[in-house]
PDB file of all heavy atoms in Angstrom:
ATOM      1  N   CYS F  16      94.241 100.170 124.406  1.00  0.00           N
ATOM      2  CA  CYS F  16      94.845  99.667 123.117  1.00  0.00           C
ATOM      3  C   CYS F  16      95.568 100.847 122.537  1.00  0.00           C
ATOM      4  O   CYS F  16      95.191 102.022 122.540  1.00  0.00           O
ATOM      5  CB  CYS F  16      93.791  99.034 122.297  1.00  0.00           C
ATOM      6  SG  CYS F  16      94.371  98.479 120.716  1.00  0.00           S
ATOM      7  N   ALA F  17      96.672 100.528 121.865  1.00  0.00           N
ATOM      8  CA  ALA F  17      97.486 101.621 121.277  1.00  0.00           C
ATOM      9  C   ALA F  17      97.117 102.088 119.904  1.00  0.00           C
ATOM     10  O   ALA F  17      97.567 102.976 119.322  1.00  0.00           O
ATOM     11  CB  ALA F  17      99.017 101.182 121.159  1.00  0.00           C
ATOM     12  N   SER F  18      95.929 101.459 119.331  1.00  0.00           N
ATOM     13  CA  SER F  18      95.543 101.787 118.050  1.00  0.00           C
ATOM     14  C   SER F  18      94.786 103.068 117.992  1.00  0.00           C
ATOM     15  O   SER F  18      94.213 103.601 118.988  1.00  0.00           O
ATOM     16  CB  SER F  18      94.555 100.678 117.440  1.00  0.00           C
ATOM     17  OG  SER F  18      93.523 100.591 118.255  1.00  0.00           O
ATOM     18  N   VAL F  19      94.756 103.700 116.795  1.00  0.00           N
ATOM     19  CA  VAL F  19      94.327 105.047 116.576  1.00  0.00           C
ATOM     20  C   VAL F  19      92.894 105.318 117.147  1.00  0.00           C
ATOM     21  O   VAL F  19      92.794 106.317 117.953  1.00  0.00           O
ATOM     22  CB  VAL F  19      94.350 105.473 115.087  1.00  0.00           C
ATOM     23  CG1 VAL F  19      93.725 106.873 114.953  1.00  0.00           C
ATOM     24  CG2 VAL F  19      95.755 105.508 114.612  1.00  0.00           C
ATOM     25  N   PRO F  20      91.788 104.502 116.879  1.00  0.00           N
ATOM     26  CA  PRO F  20      90.676 105.060 117.424  1.00  0.00           C
ATOM     27  C   PRO F  20      90.489 105.034 118.923  1.00  0.00           C
ATOM     28  O   PRO F  20      89.762 105.766 119.517  1.00  0.00           O
ATOM     29  CB  PRO F  20      89.601 103.903 116.912  1.00  0.00           C
ATOM     30  CG  PRO F  20      90.343 102.849 116.599  1.00  0.00           C
ATOM     31  CD  PRO F  20      91.624 103.385 116.031  1.00  0.00           C
ATOM     32  N   TYR F  21      91.330 104.145 119.652  1.00  0.00           N
ATOM     33  CA  TYR F  21      91.430 104.133 121.072  1.00  0.00           C
ATOM     34  C   TYR F  21      92.110 105.420 121.635  1.00  0.00           C
ATOM     35  O   TYR F  21      91.680 106.020 122.507  1.00  0.00           O
ATOM     36  CB  TYR F  21      92.150 102.952 121.538  1.00  0.00           C
ATOM     37  CG  TYR F  21      91.297 101.622 121.483  1.00  0.00           C
ATOM     38  CD1 TYR F  21      91.225 100.957 120.221  1.00  0.00           C
ATOM     39  CD2 TYR F  21      90.711 101.107 122.594  1.00  0.00           C
ATOM     40  CE1 TYR F  21      90.656  99.816 120.126  1.00  0.00           C
ATOM     41  CE2 TYR F  21      90.009  99.964 122.477  1.00  0.00           C
ATOM     42  CZ  TYR F  21      89.987  99.294 121.309  1.00  0.00           C
ATOM     43  OH  TYR F  21      89.180  98.083 121.119  1.00  0.00           O
ATOM     44  N   ASN F  22      93.044 105.890 120.864  1.00  0.00           N
ATOM     45  CA  ASN F  22      93.725 107.137 121.166  1.00  0.00           C
ATOM     46  C   ASN F  22      92.764 108.308 120.996  1.00  0.00           C
ATOM     47  O   ASN F  22      92.659 109.240 121.809  1.00  0.00           O
ATOM     48  CB  ASN F  22      94.932 107.426 120.395  1.00  0.00           C
ATOM     49  CG  ASN F  22      95.985 106.359 120.597  1.00  0.00           C
ATOM     50  OD1 ASN F  22      96.151 105.881 121.729  1.00  0.00           O
ATOM     51  ND2 ASN F  22      96.973 106.113 119.627  1.00  0.00           N
ATOM     52  N   VAL F  23      91.851 108.343 119.928  1.00  0.00           N
ATOM     53  CA  VAL F  23      90.937 109.301 119.694  1.00  0.00           C
ATOM     54  C   VAL F  23      89.916 109.335 120.840  1.00  0.00           C
ATOM     55  O   VAL F  23      89.574 110.407 121.394  1.00  0.00           O
ATOM     56  CB  VAL F  23      90.192 109.285 118.407  1.00  0.00           C
ATOM     57  CG1 VAL F  23      89.149 110.176 118.144  1.00  0.00           C
ATOM     58  CG2 VAL F  23      91.265 109.278 117.183  1.00  0.00           C
ATOM     59  N   PHE F  24      89.458 108.158 121.220  1.00  0.00           N
ATOM     60  CA  PHE F  24      88.442 108.067 122.288  1.00  0.00           C
ATOM     61  C   PHE F  24      89.100 108.675 123.581  1.00  0.00           C
ATOM     62  O   PHE F  24      88.422 109.538 124.288  1.00  0.00           O
ATOM     63  CB  PHE F  24      88.084 106.483 122.649  1.00  0.00           C
ATOM     64  CG  PHE F  24      87.307 106.415 123.884  1.00  0.00           C
ATOM     65  CD1 PHE F  24      85.892 106.560 123.772  1.00  0.00           C
ATOM     66  CD2 PHE F  24      87.860 106.246 125.076  1.00  0.00           C
ATOM     67  CE1 PHE F  24      85.105 106.451 124.838  1.00  0.00           C
ATOM     68  CE2 PHE F  24      87.009 106.141 126.225  1.00  0.00           C
ATOM     69  CZ  PHE F  24      85.698 106.168 126.021  1.00  0.00           C
ATOM     70  N   CYS F  25      90.344 108.383 123.936  1.00  0.00           N
ATOM     71  CA  CYS F  25      91.040 108.844 125.166  1.00  0.00           C
ATOM     72  C   CYS F  25      91.033 110.424 125.076  1.00  0.00           C
ATOM     73  O   CYS F  25      90.883 111.089 126.198  1.00  0.00           O
ATOM     74  CB  CYS F  25      92.333 108.235 125.350  1.00  0.00           C
ATOM     75  SG  CYS F  25      92.269 106.504 125.910  1.00  0.00           S
ATOM     76  N   GLU F  26      91.351 111.001 123.993  1.00  0.00           N
ATOM     77  CA  GLU F  26      91.370 112.444 123.826  1.00  0.00           C
ATOM     78  C   GLU F  26      90.037 113.080 124.168  1.00  0.00           C
ATOM     79  O   GLU F  26      89.942 114.035 124.803  1.00  0.00           O
ATOM     80  CB  GLU F  26      91.897 112.869 122.343  1.00  0.00           C
ATOM     81  CG  GLU F  26      93.485 112.512 122.268  1.00  0.00           C
ATOM     82  CD  GLU F  26      94.334 113.297 123.266  1.00  0.00           C
ATOM     83  OE1 GLU F  26      94.051 114.416 123.497  1.00  0.00           O
ATOM     84  OE2 GLU F  26      95.241 112.512 123.797  1.00  0.00           O
ATOM     85  N   TYR F  27      88.941 112.466 123.541  1.00  0.00           N
ATOM     86  CA  TYR F  27      87.742 113.095 123.830  1.00  0.00           C
ATOM     87  C   TYR F  27      87.280 112.861 125.233  1.00  0.00           C
ATOM     88  O   TYR F  27      86.656 113.739 125.822  1.00  0.00           O
ATOM     89  CB  TYR F  27      86.623 112.411 122.915  1.00  0.00           C
ATOM     90  CG  TYR F  27      86.463 112.982 121.531  1.00  0.00           C
ATOM     91  CD1 TYR F  27      86.858 112.231 120.411  1.00  0.00           C
ATOM     92  CD2 TYR F  27      85.914 114.167 121.322  1.00  0.00           C
ATOM     93  CE1 TYR F  27      86.713 112.799 119.077  1.00  0.00           C
ATOM     94  CE2 TYR F  27      85.763 114.748 120.028  1.00  0.00           C
ATOM     95  CZ  TYR F  27      86.183 114.035 119.021  1.00  0.00           C
ATOM     96  OH  TYR F  27      86.056 114.589 117.681  1.00  0.00           O
ATOM     97  N   TYR F  28      87.638 111.739 125.790  1.00  0.00           N
ATOM     98  CA  TYR F  28      87.445 111.410 127.194  1.00  0.00           C
ATOM     99  C   TYR F  28      88.026 112.548 128.117  1.00  0.00           C
ATOM    100  O   TYR F  28      87.401 113.015 129.056  1.00  0.00           O
ATOM    101  CB  TYR F  28      87.904 110.042 127.538  1.00  0.00           C
ATOM    102  CG  TYR F  28      87.477 109.654 129.018  1.00  0.00           C
ATOM    103  CD1 TYR F  28      86.372 109.306 129.502  1.00  0.00           C
ATOM    104  CD2 TYR F  28      88.630 109.532 129.965  1.00  0.00           C
ATOM    105  CE1 TYR F  28      86.174 108.940 130.824  1.00  0.00           C
ATOM    106  CE2 TYR F  28      88.364 109.299 131.269  1.00  0.00           C
ATOM    107  CZ  TYR F  28      87.151 108.859 131.691  1.00  0.00           C
ATOM    108  OH  TYR F  28      86.839 108.540 133.012  1.00  0.00           O
ATOM    109  N   LYS F  29      89.350 112.708 127.919  1.00  0.00           N
ATOM    110  CA  LYS F  29      90.071 113.784 128.699  1.00  0.00           C
ATOM    111  C   LYS F  29      89.392 115.112 128.542  1.00  0.00           C
ATOM    112  O   LYS F  29      89.245 115.942 129.588  1.00  0.00           O
ATOM    113  CB  LYS F  29      91.510 113.817 128.261  1.00  0.00           C
ATOM    114  CG  LYS F  29      92.348 112.598 128.619  1.00  0.00           C
ATOM    115  CD  LYS F  29      93.648 112.613 127.971  1.00  0.00           C
ATOM    116  CE  LYS F  29      94.508 111.408 128.153  1.00  0.00           C
ATOM    117  NZ  LYS F  29      95.726 111.338 127.470  1.00  0.00           N
ATOM    118  N   LYS F  30      89.013 115.422 127.244  1.00  0.00           N
ATOM    119  CA  LYS F  30      88.364 116.814 127.073  1.00  0.00           C
ATOM    120  C   LYS F  30      87.012 116.909 127.845  1.00  0.00           C
ATOM    121  O   LYS F  30      86.765 117.934 128.471  1.00  0.00           O
ATOM    122  CB  LYS F  30      88.044 116.869 125.559  1.00  0.00           C
ATOM    123  CG  LYS F  30      87.609 118.221 125.112  1.00  0.00           C
ATOM    124  CD  LYS F  30      87.489 118.389 123.590  1.00  0.00           C
ATOM    125  CE  LYS F  30      86.910 119.635 123.159  1.00  0.00           C
ATOM    126  NZ  LYS F  30      86.716 119.698 121.627  1.00  0.00           N
ATOM    127  N   ALA F  31      86.044 115.775 127.828  1.00  0.00           N
ATOM    128  CA  ALA F  31      84.964 115.742 128.595  1.00  0.00           C
ATOM    129  C   ALA F  31      85.184 115.953 130.102  1.00  0.00           C
ATOM    130  O   ALA F  31      84.417 116.518 130.818  1.00  0.00           O
ATOM    131  CB  ALA F  31      84.077 114.589 128.328  1.00  0.00           C
ATOM    132  N   LEU F  32      86.295 115.261 130.628  1.00  0.00           N
ATOM    133  CA  LEU F  32      86.567 115.289 131.903  1.00  0.00           C
ATOM    134  C   LEU F  32      86.918 116.790 132.436  1.00  0.00           C
ATOM    135  O   LEU F  32      86.443 117.171 133.451  1.00  0.00           O
ATOM    136  CB  LEU F  32      87.782 114.509 132.261  1.00  0.00           C
ATOM    137  CG  LEU F  32      87.573 113.027 132.653  1.00  0.00           C
ATOM    138  CD1 LEU F  32      88.929 112.273 132.950  1.00  0.00           C
ATOM    139  CD2 LEU F  32      86.684 112.737 133.908  1.00  0.00           C
ATOM    140  N   THR F  33      87.720 117.524 131.621  1.00  0.00           N
ATOM    141  CA  THR F  33      88.041 118.870 131.867  1.00  0.00           C
ATOM    142  C   THR F  33      86.756 119.731 131.889  1.00  0.00           C
ATOM    143  O   THR F  33      86.812 120.820 132.619  1.00  0.00           O
ATOM    144  CB  THR F  33      89.099 119.410 130.862  1.00  0.00           C
ATOM    145  OG1 THR F  33      88.493 119.427 129.599  1.00  0.00           O
ATOM    146  CG2 THR F  33      90.303 118.616 130.919  1.00  0.00           C
ATOM    147  N   LYS F  34      85.747 119.358 131.250  1.00  0.00           N
ATOM    148  CA  LYS F  34      84.471 120.048 131.187  1.00  0.00           C
ATOM    149  C   LYS F  34      83.495 119.555 132.311  1.00  0.00           C
ATOM    150  O   LYS F  34      82.290 120.005 132.222  1.00  0.00           O
ATOM    151  CB  LYS F  34      83.801 120.028 129.844  1.00  0.00           C
ATOM    152  CG  LYS F  34      84.582 120.592 128.611  1.00  0.00           C
ATOM    153  CD  LYS F  34      84.516 122.170 128.790  1.00  0.00           C
ATOM    154  CE  LYS F  34      85.289 122.764 127.636  1.00  0.00           C
ATOM    155  NZ  LYS F  34      85.196 124.214 127.754  1.00  0.00           N
ATOM    156  N   ASN F  35      84.019 118.688 133.147  1.00  0.00           N
ATOM    157  CA  ASN F  35      83.240 118.261 134.260  1.00  0.00           C
ATOM    158  C   ASN F  35      81.888 117.392 133.834  1.00  0.00           C
ATOM    159  O   ASN F  35      80.803 117.636 134.377  1.00  0.00           O
ATOM    160  CB  ASN F  35      82.866 119.206 135.222  1.00  0.00           C
ATOM    161  CG  ASN F  35      84.059 119.923 135.946  1.00  0.00           C
ATOM    162  OD1 ASN F  35      84.917 119.158 136.349  1.00  0.00           O
ATOM    163  ND2 ASN F  35      83.979 121.253 135.908  1.00  0.00           N
ATOM    164  N   GLN F  36      81.974 116.603 132.786  1.00  0.00           N
ATOM    165  CA  GLN F  36      81.021 115.879 132.271  1.00  0.00           C
ATOM    166  C   GLN F  36      80.391 114.970 133.316  1.00  0.00           C
ATOM    167  O   GLN F  36      81.022 114.156 133.933  1.00  0.00           O
ATOM    168  CB  GLN F  36      81.388 114.951 131.022  1.00  0.00           C
ATOM    169  CG  GLN F  36      80.331 114.023 130.527  1.00  0.00           C
ATOM    170  CD  GLN F  36      79.156 114.804 129.898  1.00  0.00           C
ATOM    171  OE1 GLN F  36      79.260 115.800 129.114  1.00  0.00           O
ATOM    172  NE2 GLN F  36      77.918 114.321 130.238  1.00  0.00           N
ATOM    173  N   GLN F  37      79.039 115.059 133.520  1.00  0.00           N
ATOM    174  CA  GLN F  37      78.444 114.310 134.418  1.00  0.00           C
ATOM    175  C   GLN F  37      78.087 112.834 133.975  1.00  0.00           C
ATOM    176  O   GLN F  37      77.821 112.696 132.755  1.00  0.00           O
ATOM    177  CB  GLN F  37      77.046 114.798 134.911  1.00  0.00           C
ATOM    178  CG  GLN F  37      77.191 116.245 135.627  1.00  0.00           C
ATOM    179  CD  GLN F  37      78.020 116.208 136.874  1.00  0.00           C
ATOM    180  OE1 GLN F  37      77.599 115.462 137.762  1.00  0.00           O
ATOM    181  NE2 GLN F  37      79.085 116.863 137.019  1.00  0.00           N
ATOM    182  N   SER F  38      78.193 111.815 134.857  1.00  0.00           N
ATOM    183  CA  SER F  38      77.902 110.500 134.313  1.00  0.00           C
ATOM    184  C   SER F  38      78.717 110.135 133.080  1.00  0.00           C
ATOM    185  O   SER F  38      78.250 109.559 132.121  1.00  0.00           O
ATOM    186  CB  SER F  38      76.356 110.306 134.102  1.00  0.00           C
ATOM    187  OG  SER F  38      75.718 110.520 135.211  1.00  0.00           O
ATOM    188  N   ILE F  39      80.009 110.395 133.126  1.00  0.00           N
ATOM    189  CA  ILE F  39      80.887 110.194 131.901  1.00  0.00           C
ATOM    190  C   ILE F  39      80.948 108.735 131.578  1.00  0.00           C
ATOM    191  O   ILE F  39      81.304 108.408 130.450  1.00  0.00           O
ATOM    192  CB  ILE F  39      82.251 110.883 132.169  1.00  0.00           C
ATOM    193  CG1 ILE F  39      82.957 111.082 130.879  1.00  0.00           C
ATOM    194  CG2 ILE F  39      82.987 110.162 133.174  1.00  0.00           C
ATOM    195  CD1 ILE F  39      84.211 112.038 130.933  1.00  0.00           C
ATOM    196  N   GLU F  40      80.686 107.965 132.618  1.00  0.00           N
ATOM    197  CA  GLU F  40      80.900 106.468 132.361  1.00  0.00           C
ATOM    198  C   GLU F  40      79.689 105.865 131.775  1.00  0.00           C
ATOM    199  O   GLU F  40      79.655 104.663 131.404  1.00  0.00           O
ATOM    200  CB  GLU F  40      81.338 105.723 133.652  1.00  0.00           C
ATOM    201  CG  GLU F  40      80.193 105.723 134.710  1.00  0.00           C
ATOM    202  CD  GLU F  40      80.011 107.017 135.505  1.00  0.00           C
ATOM    203  OE1 GLU F  40      80.764 108.059 135.244  1.00  0.00           O
ATOM    204  OE2 GLU F  40      79.238 107.119 136.335  1.00  0.00           O
ATOM    205  N   ALA F  41      78.589 106.553 131.624  1.00  0.00           N
ATOM    206  CA  ALA F  41      77.273 106.078 131.172  1.00  0.00           C
ATOM    207  C   ALA F  41      77.351 105.741 129.759  1.00  0.00           C
ATOM    208  O   ALA F  41      77.687 106.594 128.978  1.00  0.00           O
ATOM    209  CB  ALA F  41      76.171 107.022 131.549  1.00  0.00           C
ATOM    210  N   ILE F  42      77.030 104.485 129.428  1.00  0.00           N
ATOM    211  CA  ILE F  42      77.086 104.068 127.888  1.00  0.00           C
ATOM    212  C   ILE F  42      75.762 103.414 127.597  1.00  0.00           C
ATOM    213  O   ILE F  42      75.362 102.468 128.422  1.00  0.00           O
ATOM    214  CB  ILE F  42      78.397 103.174 127.668  1.00  0.00           C
ATOM    215  CG1 ILE F  42      78.483 102.838 126.161  1.00  0.00           C
ATOM    216  CG2 ILE F  42      78.427 101.968 128.542  1.00  0.00           C
ATOM    217  CD1 ILE F  42      79.789 102.296 125.745  1.00  0.00           C
ATOM    218  N   PHE F  43      75.257 103.638 126.561  1.00  0.00           N
ATOM    219  CA  PHE F  43      73.883 103.086 126.146  1.00  0.00           C
ATOM    220  C   PHE F  43      74.220 101.821 125.289  1.00  0.00           C
ATOM    221  O   PHE F  43      74.908 101.990 124.191  1.00  0.00           O
ATOM    222  CB  PHE F  43      73.033 104.073 125.351  1.00  0.00           C
ATOM    223  CG  PHE F  43      72.628 105.288 126.301  1.00  0.00           C
ATOM    224  CD1 PHE F  43      73.458 106.413 126.354  1.00  0.00           C
ATOM    225  CD2 PHE F  43      71.425 105.196 126.934  1.00  0.00           C
ATOM    226  CE1 PHE F  43      73.115 107.428 127.187  1.00  0.00           C
ATOM    227  CE2 PHE F  43      71.042 106.311 127.771  1.00  0.00           C
ATOM    228  CZ  PHE F  43      71.915 107.405 127.920  1.00  0.00           C
ATOM    229  N   ILE F  44      73.678 100.721 125.738  1.00  0.00           N
ATOM    230  CA  ILE F  44      73.899  99.471 125.058  1.00  0.00           C
ATOM    231  C   ILE F  44      72.661  98.990 124.453  1.00  0.00           C
ATOM    232  O   ILE F  44      71.659  98.822 125.005  1.00  0.00           O
ATOM    233  CB  ILE F  44      74.491  98.312 126.029  1.00  0.00           C
ATOM    234  CG1 ILE F  44      75.638  98.837 126.691  1.00  0.00           C
ATOM    235  CG2 ILE F  44      74.669  96.985 125.358  1.00  0.00           C
ATOM    236  CD1 ILE F  44      77.041  98.823 125.902  1.00  0.00           C
ATOM    237  N   SER F  45      72.704  98.624 123.097  1.00  0.00           N
ATOM    238  CA  SER F  45      71.516  98.119 122.327  1.00  0.00           C
ATOM    239  C   SER F  45      71.909  96.755 121.976  1.00  0.00           C
ATOM    240  O   SER F  45      72.980  96.331 121.503  1.00  0.00           O
ATOM    241  CB  SER F  45      71.294  98.982 121.042  1.00  0.00           C
ATOM    242  OG  SER F  45      70.883 100.251 121.489  1.00  0.00           O
ATOM    243  N   SER F  46      70.803  95.790 122.108  1.00  0.00           N
ATOM    244  CA  SER F  46      70.961  94.471 121.839  1.00  0.00           C
ATOM    245  C   SER F  46      69.818  93.899 121.105  1.00  0.00           C
ATOM    246  O   SER F  46      68.643  94.538 121.214  1.00  0.00           O
ATOM    247  CB  SER F  46      71.208  93.654 123.146  1.00  0.00           C
ATOM    248  OG  SER F  46      70.192  93.858 123.931  1.00  0.00           O
ATOM    249  N   LEU F  47      69.899  92.713 120.599  1.00  0.00           N
ATOM    250  CA  LEU F  47      68.719  92.170 119.840  1.00  0.00           C
ATOM    251  C   LEU F  47      68.135  90.957 120.526  1.00  0.00           C
ATOM    252  O   LEU F  47      68.976  90.029 120.902  1.00  0.00           O
ATOM    253  CB  LEU F  47      69.212  91.646 118.429  1.00  0.00           C
ATOM    254  CG  LEU F  47      68.241  90.969 117.579  1.00  0.00           C
ATOM    255  CD1 LEU F  47      66.976  91.817 117.185  1.00  0.00           C
ATOM    256  CD2 LEU F  47      68.884  90.347 116.259  1.00  0.00           C
ATOM    257  N   ASP F  48      66.938  90.904 120.812  1.00  0.00           N
ATOM    258  CA  ASP F  48      66.115  89.817 121.385  1.00  0.00           C
ATOM    259  C   ASP F  48      65.829  88.923 120.118  1.00  0.00           C
ATOM    260  O   ASP F  48      64.833  89.269 119.466  1.00  0.00           O
ATOM    261  CB  ASP F  48      64.974  90.262 122.074  1.00  0.00           C
ATOM    262  CG  ASP F  48      64.197  89.096 122.686  1.00  0.00           C
ATOM    263  OD1 ASP F  48      64.269  88.056 122.199  1.00  0.00           O
ATOM    264  OD2 ASP F  48      63.338  89.384 123.694  1.00  0.00           O
ATOM    265  N   THR F  49      66.486  87.874 119.885  1.00  0.00           N
ATOM    266  CA  THR F  49      66.309  87.129 118.616  1.00  0.00           C
ATOM    267  C   THR F  49      64.877  86.388 118.673  1.00  0.00           C
ATOM    268  O   THR F  49      64.298  86.043 117.609  1.00  0.00           O
ATOM    269  CB  THR F  49      67.306  86.109 118.356  1.00  0.00           C
ATOM    270  OG1 THR F  49      67.484  85.246 119.511  1.00  0.00           O
ATOM    271  CG2 THR F  49      68.618  86.724 118.038  1.00  0.00           C
ATOM    272  N   ASN F  50      64.394  86.118 119.947  1.00  0.00           N
ATOM    273  CA  ASN F  50      63.036  85.400 120.139  1.00  0.00           C
ATOM    274  C   ASN F  50      61.878  86.298 119.762  1.00  0.00           C
ATOM    275  O   ASN F  50      61.031  86.003 119.045  1.00  0.00           O
ATOM    276  CB  ASN F  50      62.963  84.825 121.517  1.00  0.00           C
ATOM    277  CG  ASN F  50      63.957  83.764 121.857  1.00  0.00           C
ATOM    278  OD1 ASN F  50      64.232  82.866 120.968  1.00  0.00           O
ATOM    279  ND2 ASN F  50      64.527  83.818 122.962  1.00  0.00           N
ATOM    280  N   ALA F  51      61.921  87.543 120.166  1.00  0.00           N
ATOM    281  CA  ALA F  51      60.812  88.449 120.021  1.00  0.00           C
ATOM    282  C   ALA F  51      61.151  89.346 118.643  1.00  0.00           C
ATOM    283  O   ALA F  51      60.364  90.100 118.287  1.00  0.00           O
ATOM    284  CB  ALA F  51      60.585  89.339 121.152  1.00  0.00           C
ATOM    285  N   ASN F  52      62.392  89.203 118.147  1.00  0.00           N
ATOM    286  CA  ASN F  52      62.787  90.065 117.084  1.00  0.00           C
ATOM    287  C   ASN F  52      62.739  91.560 117.328  1.00  0.00           C
ATOM    288  O   ASN F  52      62.082  92.351 116.544  1.00  0.00           O
ATOM    289  CB  ASN F  52      62.093  89.643 115.862  1.00  0.00           C
ATOM    290  CG  ASN F  52      62.700  90.126 114.489  1.00  0.00           C
ATOM    291  OD1 ASN F  52      63.954  90.236 114.527  1.00  0.00           O
ATOM    292  ND2 ASN F  52      61.910  90.464 113.415  1.00  0.00           N
ATOM    293  N   GLU F  53      63.171  91.857 118.595  1.00  0.00           N
ATOM    294  CA  GLU F  53      63.028  93.198 119.081  1.00  0.00           C
ATOM    295  C   GLU F  53      64.466  93.820 119.498  1.00  0.00           C
ATOM    296  O   GLU F  53      65.218  92.972 119.996  1.00  0.00           O
ATOM    297  CB  GLU F  53      62.087  93.456 120.214  1.00  0.00           C
ATOM    298  CG  GLU F  53      60.610  93.299 119.837  1.00  0.00           C
ATOM    299  CD  GLU F  53      59.821  93.400 121.152  1.00  0.00           C
ATOM    300  OE1 GLU F  53      60.275  93.197 122.301  1.00  0.00           O
ATOM    301  OE2 GLU F  53      58.557  93.706 121.023  1.00  0.00           O
ATOM    302  N   VAL F  54      64.638  95.121 119.400  1.00  0.00           N
ATOM    303  CA  VAL F  54      65.854  95.657 119.832  1.00  0.00           C
ATOM    304  C   VAL F  54      65.505  96.327 121.126  1.00  0.00           C
ATOM    305  O   VAL F  54      64.579  97.007 121.223  1.00  0.00           O
ATOM    306  CB  VAL F  54      66.476  96.620 118.774  1.00  0.00           C
ATOM    307  CG1 VAL F  54      67.616  97.384 119.330  1.00  0.00           C
ATOM    308  CG2 VAL F  54      66.818  95.939 117.489  1.00  0.00           C
ATOM    309  N   ASP F  55      66.519  96.247 122.083  1.00  0.00           N
ATOM    310  CA  ASP F  55      66.444  96.921 123.326  1.00  0.00           C
ATOM    311  C   ASP F  55      67.591  97.711 123.637  1.00  0.00           C
ATOM    312  O   ASP F  55      68.795  97.413 123.154  1.00  0.00           O
ATOM    313  CB  ASP F  55      66.311  95.876 124.461  1.00  0.00           C
ATOM    314  CG  ASP F  55      64.865  95.818 125.183  1.00  0.00           C
ATOM    315  OD1 ASP F  55      64.235  96.829 125.128  1.00  0.00           O
ATOM    316  OD2 ASP F  55      64.516  94.725 125.639  1.00  0.00           O
ATOM    317  N   SER F  56      67.457  98.911 124.409  1.00  0.00           N
ATOM    318  CA  SER F  56      68.500  99.666 124.740  1.00  0.00           C
ATOM    319  C   SER F  56      68.373 100.015 126.303  1.00  0.00           C
ATOM    320  O   SER F  56      67.331 100.040 126.806  1.00  0.00           O
ATOM    321  CB  SER F  56      68.564 101.047 123.997  1.00  0.00           C
ATOM    322  OG  SER F  56      68.653 100.780 122.638  1.00  0.00           O
ATOM    323  N   ARG F  57      69.608 100.129 126.954  1.00  0.00           N
ATOM    324  CA  ARG F  57      69.657 100.523 128.320  1.00  0.00           C
ATOM    325  C   ARG F  57      71.045 101.238 128.584  1.00  0.00           C
ATOM    326  O   ARG F  57      71.965 100.958 127.809  1.00  0.00           O
ATOM    327  CB  ARG F  57      69.421  99.420 129.227  1.00  0.00           C
ATOM    328  CG  ARG F  57      70.646  98.439 129.399  1.00  0.00           C
ATOM    329  CD  ARG F  57      70.893  97.622 128.224  1.00  0.00           C
ATOM    330  NE  ARG F  57      69.890  96.571 128.102  1.00  0.00           N
ATOM    331  CZ  ARG F  57      69.773  95.817 126.985  1.00  0.00           C
ATOM    332  NH1 ARG F  57      70.445  96.085 125.938  1.00  0.00           N
ATOM    333  NH2 ARG F  57      68.758  95.021 126.810  1.00  0.00           N
TER     334      ARG F  57
END
């Protein structure tokens, strides 16, 4: 996307790539289990 925060993300991503960041694609996702009323992350 051409909007500003996407451009900022891409700049940080390129910078991390040049520093050989391991598992650069790993993203931690948190969600809500509405039945148990608990938050989970993975």
Side-chain angles (χ1 to χ4, degrees):
C16 182
S18 60
V19 173
Y21 288 78
N22 293 334
V23 175
F24 174 86
C25 287
E26 288 303 313
Y27 277 112
Y28 180 75
K29 290 173 187 173
K30 188 177 177 182
L32 273 179
T33 64
K34 295 289 186 179
N35 298 314
Q36 173 65 46
Q37 298 298 302
S38 300
I39 197 168
E40 69 281 357
I42 184 170
F43 295 88
I44 302 288
S45 297
S46 59
L47 175 65
D48 179 340
T49 56
N50 294 319
N52 200 29
E53 290 180 337
V54 175
D55 250 335
S56 299
R57 78 287 291 163

